[in-house]
Amino acid sequence: MSGTDAPVHQIVFRWDADLAVGGAGVGPVAWSGNRDGLEPIYRKVATLLSVPGDEARESLARVELRGERGAESSVLLIRRVPGQDRGGRPSTCSHALLGSPSVLTPGRCLGLHAWRWEGSGIDLLEVEGRSLECVPAQALRAATDRAAPELTERAGLFDAELTAVLAARLREPRQRLSVRDRTGGDGPVHVLWALRNLAGRALPGWSFATHDTRDGGPFRYVFVPRWPVSATRDQQLTRLDPARPSRGDSRDGRDSRAPDHGDPAGEAAARLAEHYLEIRHDSGALRETRRALAERRVFEEERLDERVRLVHEALKWLSHAGDHRRSRTGRPAESREPSQGTLYDRAREERAREERYDSAGYGGQRYDTVFDNLRQDQDQGAGSPTTRPPHRPSGPARDSPAA
């Protein structure tokens, strides 16, 4: 079975006095695979399962899990819901999906933000033990296909936030980013959706939390209502307030604002964001944009001035390519707003995206089955090894669609 069709496991985490992995606390209480596979996963994500404080709200967190001792990599997508435990105490209950990176791609995870896929409506406070079923990959693809048009359309409401995040990425591509969320929780998913569809895998690392009350975790992108006070400064974390765009380093969260004049990263980011908003309903133009950024390795350059130069070069090339394409077809420029009934065929683009993602692998490792220790018993007892497709070399970066 290929990674793009591998079933996805479910795990429910909540407070319990007798966890499946031993002890008491917030941990796994229900699952679809084998119990033996729970402990290594729990060890890696235990600190991410609770969102403390009065400002906690429902959120989505994507965690990339590297395989242990030769096992394949996996992705854990966690829907964290604040509430109360059975004793009435504040707690966090989570419903998680565990699967192949070629199924739980960053784009598909963002498309699942509403958590309305077939089989998602389980009672998180009551379910226990190995009582859950695997989720077919097709059910998750269908849910993302349904959500994609609205996500794309509403991304236009958060152009300032998108511009600020792009500018921060151009200034410091390797830093983890803590973004002050002033949108009431509505903006993060749309900003990340736009960022992924614009840049794709040209931007490395796609672990994120759409809401948290702490920013010291492993996420490359985390959105917080306010920054927690910390006695020490995390040198790998940059704090960004989109309402206060800055030219310089804001790693301590203080306002280091400067006028937009003379801010090359801010200007390049503004042009990129404007370009995205103009083409966001055109899957072909988006694919060209991701290819242009990936070919130039924009976010891999060491010098800021070179990263900015490559952005302008890519945008100039894209403008010429668009003009040439329209001159050959005789069509006018694409409208910023989609006409009735002409939203792009997201499902078709998604299928092509998965095929390329599967060919390229993930982090240098192929992924064809779900996390080894959580395979279904029927797979283990079948008596025949999993059939793997023949190895295919990675495709060139020039046609690297978002996933």
Side-chain angles (χ1 to χ4, degrees):
M1 180 181 294
S2 71
T4 57
D5 294 320
V8 174
H9 284 281
Q10 302 185 67
I11 309 174
V12 171
F13 300 94
R14 66 169 184 264
W15 194 93
D16 197 86
D18 185 20
L19 294 173
V21 294
V26 176
V29 295
W31 56 92
S32 61
N34 292 321
R35 183 170 178 159
D36 292 344
L38 295 173
E39 186 174 356
I41 297 169
Y42 176 65
R43 274 201 321 267
K44 294 177 180 179
V45 302
T47 59
L48 310 178
L49 299 176
S50 296
V51 182
D54 296 336
E55 292 184 290
R57 63 163 54 99
E58 184 177 316
S59 61
L60 205 62
R62 183 180 190 268
V63 186
E64 298 172 338
L65 303 174
R66 295 297 178 187
E68 295 184 345
R69 297 184 297 275
E72 291 141 323
S73 301
S74 56
V75 166
L76 189 71
L77 179 67
I78 316 170
R79 179 187 181 232
R80 303 181 295 184
V81 183
Q84 296 180 332
D85 61 22
R86 289 174 175 175
R89 295 162 297 192
S91 187
T92 304
C93 189
S94 299
H95 188 186
L97 297 174
L98 174 74
S100 160
S102 57
V103 174
L104 294 177
T105 64
R108 182 163 303 129
C109 288
L110 291 165
L112 296 174
H113 74 104
W115 216 250
R116 296 193 190 108
W117 40 270
E118 185 178 351
S120 62
I122 62 177
D123 188 338
L124 300 182
L125 295 179
E126 297 298 330
V127 67
E128 291 182 342
R130 186 178 171 178
S131 56
L132 304 178
E133 300 291 334
C134 280
V135 182
Q138 179 55 39
L140 303 180
R141 284 195 288 267
T144 296
D145 291 345
R146 291 191 297 270
E150 183 179 3
L151 280 169
T152 300
E153 180 61 25
R154 287 181 56 79
L157 301 176
F158 305 100
D159 56 328
E161 289 79 8
L162 175 60
T163 300
V165 170
L166 279 168
R169 270 288 158 257
L170 281 171
R171 293 186 187 106
E172 297 175 307
R174 295 178 179 85
Q175 288 287 109
R176 291 186 295 107
L177 198 58
S178 170
V179 184
R180 182 94 179 261
D181 178 19
R182 299 178 182 270
T183 69
D186 192 30
V189 167
H190 297 88
V191 172
L192 290 171
W193 177 265
L195 189 66
R196 183 65 185 183
N197 278 283
L198 172 67
R201 281 181 284 167
L203 273 174
W206 274 93
S207 59
F208 58 77
T210 59
H211 174 82
D212 213 314
T213 54
R214 304 159 298 181
D215 59 6
F219 303 112
R220 285 274 292 169
Y221 303 90
V222 59
F223 292 78
V224 297
R226 65 189 71 251
W227 289 310
V229 177
S230 176
T232 59
R233 175 169 145 174
D234 188 338
Q235 296 294 328
Q236 278 73 51
L237 179 72
T238 293
R239 287 176 168 175
L240 171 70
D241 187 345
R244 298 179 174 182
S246 168
R247 284 180 57 192
D249 186 352
S250 56
R251 295 182 191 180
D252 56 5
R254 289 195 291 265
D255 181 9
S256 55
R257 259 187 304 177
D260 286 340
H261 177 68
D263 178 12
E267 293 167 3
R271 286 194 62 197
L272 266 178
E274 182 181 8
H275 174 74
Y276 170 76
L277 293 175
E278 288 177 350
I279 61 136
R280 68 187 189 275
H281 297 289
D282 183 340
S283 60
L286 284 169
R287 193 159 46 246
E288 280 186 345
T289 300
R290 293 189 292 265
R291 187 171 65 224
L293 294 174
E295 279 184 337
R296 288 162 179 80
R297 302 182 182 274
V298 170
F299 299 98
E300 298 178 30
E301 288 293 335
E302 292 295 328
R303 293 173 45 187
L304 171 60
D305 60 346
E306 183 64 9
R307 292 194 292 271
V308 169
R309 185 192 70 79
L310 289 171
V311 167
H312 290 297
E313 178 186 287
L315 289 172
K316 183 177 180 180
W317 181 87
L318 288 164
S319 177
H320 290 329
D323 290 344
H324 179 66
R325 184 172 60 250
R326 287 188 291 271
S327 69
R328 292 190 63 184
T329 60
R331 292 186 300 168
E334 292 285 343
S335 170
R336 180 179 178 126
E337 300 296 332
S339 58
Q340 186 68 26
T342 60
L343 288 175
Y344 60 83
D345 183 352
R346 184 75 187 188
R348 183 167 51 197
E349 185 185 5
E350 189 78 10
R351 287 191 293 272
R353 171 187 306 169
E354 291 162 359
E355 291 170 2
R356 296 183 188 281
Y357 201 105
D358 191 35
S359 297
Y362 178 79
Q365 305 179 61
R366 290 193 59 80
Y367 190 102
D368 298 301
T369 55
V370 181
F371 195 86
D372 282 356
N373 290 330
L374 276 176
R375 291 178 184 169
Q376 290 289 68
D377 282 345
Q378 59 264 33
D379 293 338
Q380 293 180 336
S384 59
T386 301
T387 301
R388 295 178 179 268
H391 175 72
R392 291 169 293 184
S394 298
R398 68 176 187 275
D399 196 17
S400 175

